[in-house]
Amino acid sequence: MIPAEAGRPSFADAARAGARAAAKPDLAVVGATGAVGAVLLGILSERADVWGEIRLIAPPSSQLRSSRGDPHPSSAGRKLTVRGEEVEVVGLSEDAFEGIDVAMFDVPDEVAAQWVPVAVSKGAVAVDSSGAFRMDPEVPLVVPEVNACAARIRPRGIIANPNCTTLSMIVALGALHAEYGLSELIVSSYQAATGVGQAGAETLRAQLAAVSGTDLGTTPGDVRRAVGDTLGPFPAPLALNVVPWAGSLQEDGWSSEELRIRNESRKILGLPDLPVTATCVRVPVITAHSLAVHARFENEVTVAGAHEILAAAPGVVLSDDPAEGEYPTPADVVGTDPTWVGRVRRSLDDPRVLELFVCGDNLRKGAALNTAQIGELVAAELAAGEPRA
């Protein structure tokens, strides 16, 4: 046999590419029974039909907790609806990935660390929403509106999906960075209860029921006594309160969520030395994260210029007219796909600094939608018959 020329696909590669181009790629969704998984199935049903078979896979019951901390209410054998058809969920096993071209994972870090490489070994490109591979230098961290080209270079066969908080702001920042050159980022986040999964939403609703119709919130500790043991995944009451904490404790008092914003923003934007400071706060909102952003750029900025950039940016909606009470709030953007931006101001003290407020649905663009968009990038490659990176 004559060896293939170095750096070029072999005849066998070309034959396989041609076969893939002749049919839509097959997709596996691992963790489809969780809160984000349910949203993902809805998104797959709404968007362009680029997939052949969609196979739904459930982890073992002992591992049924999503990357956002919510228990999956079902397991193998249950039927879920996707693209108008009922599909039976199968158990997680090596055989479950046979014939699969793309595998989307919404599972805990430890499950992803074990099973994502298995999917890749079976020939699939893995799109992983956990934190297991995000900082791996051989795994691209992709937001299609910002760095779609990064998805094409995946030495391990894995593409990582960023954290929901990062995703709620990075599309807008990416557009501004492309024009002005980002040089420093200071962020305060206001994160919804579903950032920790369905358990977060259920806990907040239970707490709201406990304080509704009362005059609580007027003396120290009265709210904490009223909610009692219903703290759930939160370290303090969330109803009638804000909690300046999200994630787990890291070195020097930082939280894991704050460090994710720092590390992921640097990687997505290709700015490994970007100064980033984040303070993460949990607020009594069911779904949709918000962030107050202080962004310093290399070049002087104007509000008019920023408006023009943001209004034209894919995946961004500009809503900025404070005189008319127009600015984004979680209650108005929940259930929508874009990043919403308002309160755009130039700093009073530095002509290179923009202050802005952003909102985004943490279950849609903050998780499921970005996963689906990454999958579509790979599907387009496969449909074009391009050899896998």
Side-chain angles (χ1 to χ4, degrees):
M1 177 181 293
I2 299 174
E5 184 177 339
R8 297 183 61 183
S10 67
F11 292 119
D13 289 334
R16 285 191 293 269
R20 288 197 301 269
K24 294 178 180 178
D26 293 330
L27 171 69
V29 179
V30 186
T33 54
V36 173
V39 175
L40 178 56
L41 296 189
I43 287 172
L44 291 172
S45 301
E46 297 164 3
R47 293 175 68 84
D49 186 5
V50 301
W51 303 108
E53 176 190 358
I54 296 182
R55 190 176 304 169
L56 308 183
I57 302 174
S61 58
S62 61
Q63 299 176 331
L64 296 184
R65 187 166 293 274
S66 86
S67 57
R68 274 145 290 278
D70 57 306
H72 288 258
S74 63
S75 59
R78 183 183 177 186
K79 291 185 176 180
L80 301 175
T81 301
V82 59
R83 298 188 301 188
E85 300 179 2
E86 283 195 337
V87 178
E88 184 171 335
V89 180
V90 301
L92 180 58
S93 68
E94 290 191 23
D95 291 343
F97 296 104
E98 291 292 343
I100 292 299
D101 297 293
V102 178
M104 298 177 179
F105 284 79
D106 181 61
V107 294
D109 291 6
E110 61 273 15
V111 180
Q114 177 183 354
W115 287 98
V116 164
V118 172
V120 173
S121 73
K122 291 292 185 178
V125 175
V127 182
D128 180 43
S129 292
S130 81
F133 301 98
R134 287 176 186 150
M135 290 299 109
D136 187 320
E138 293 189 317
V139 174
L141 187 63
V142 174
V143 181
E145 297 92 339
V146 180
N147 64 338
C149 60
R152 300 174 65 88
I153 304 172
R154 41 182 189 271
R156 298 190 60 183
I158 305 168
I159 304 171
N161 196 42
N163 176 264
C164 55
T165 314
T166 305
L167 275 167
S168 296
M169 67 166 184
I170 203 68
V171 177
L173 279 179
L176 293 168
H177 167 61
E179 178 66 24
Y180 294 125
L182 187 63
S183 62
E184 184 181 16
L185 182 62
I186 302 173
V187 176
S188 294
S189 71
Y190 308 94
Q191 296 177 218
T194 47
V196 292
Q198 189 59 33
E202 292 170 356
T203 297
L204 177 55
R205 292 190 191 281
Q207 292 183 4
L208 290 172
V211 303
S212 178
T214 72
D215 60 357
L216 292 169
T218 58
T219 60
D222 60 355
V223 173
R224 188 180 292 272
R225 288 189 293 272
V227 303
D229 295 331
T230 62
L231 290 180
F234 308 118
L238 195 56
L240 303 181
N241 202 20
V242 298
V243 181
W245 190 258
S248 58
L249 181 62
Q250 304 297 304
E251 189 174 356
D252 295 328
W254 293 98
S255 79
S256 58
E257 193 82 359
E258 291 160 349
L259 296 182
R260 286 189 191 110
I261 293 174
R262 174 182 173 87
N263 295 332
E264 293 175 14
S265 297
R266 288 173 156 189
K267 186 171 181 179
I268 293 163
L269 297 174
L271 299 171
D273 299 319
L274 179 71
V276 180
T277 300
T279 300
C280 291
V281 180
R282 194 74 65 183
V283 296
V285 169
I286 297 295
T287 300
H289 290 347
S290 305
L291 299 98
V293 177
H294 172 99
R296 175 176 284 108
F297 298 92
E298 296 173 359
N299 302 306
E300 187 169 332
V301 298
T302 66
V303 171
H307 276 181
E308 184 176 356
I309 292 165
L310 294 167
V316 175
V317 172
L318 180 65
S319 176
D320 192 18
D321 188 354
E324 296 296 328
E326 183 181 328
Y327 30 72
T329 73
D332 296 316
V333 312
V334 63
T336 68
D337 289 341
T339 295
W340 294 71
V341 185
R343 298 299 321 280
V344 180
R345 293 147 289 153
R346 190 167 83 161
S347 170
L348 298 175
D349 302 307
D350 190 336
R352 297 175 300 154
V353 171
L354 283 174
E355 315 284 353
L356 54 150
F357 189 78
V358 301
C359 284
D361 188 311
N362 53 291
L363 298 182
R364 292 188 69 86
K365 181 57 179 175
L369 175 62
N370 202 72
T371 299
Q373 290 174 305
I374 294 171
E376 289 168 3
L377 293 176
V378 179
E381 286 183 38
L382 299 181
E386 298 180 21
R388 296 174 183 173

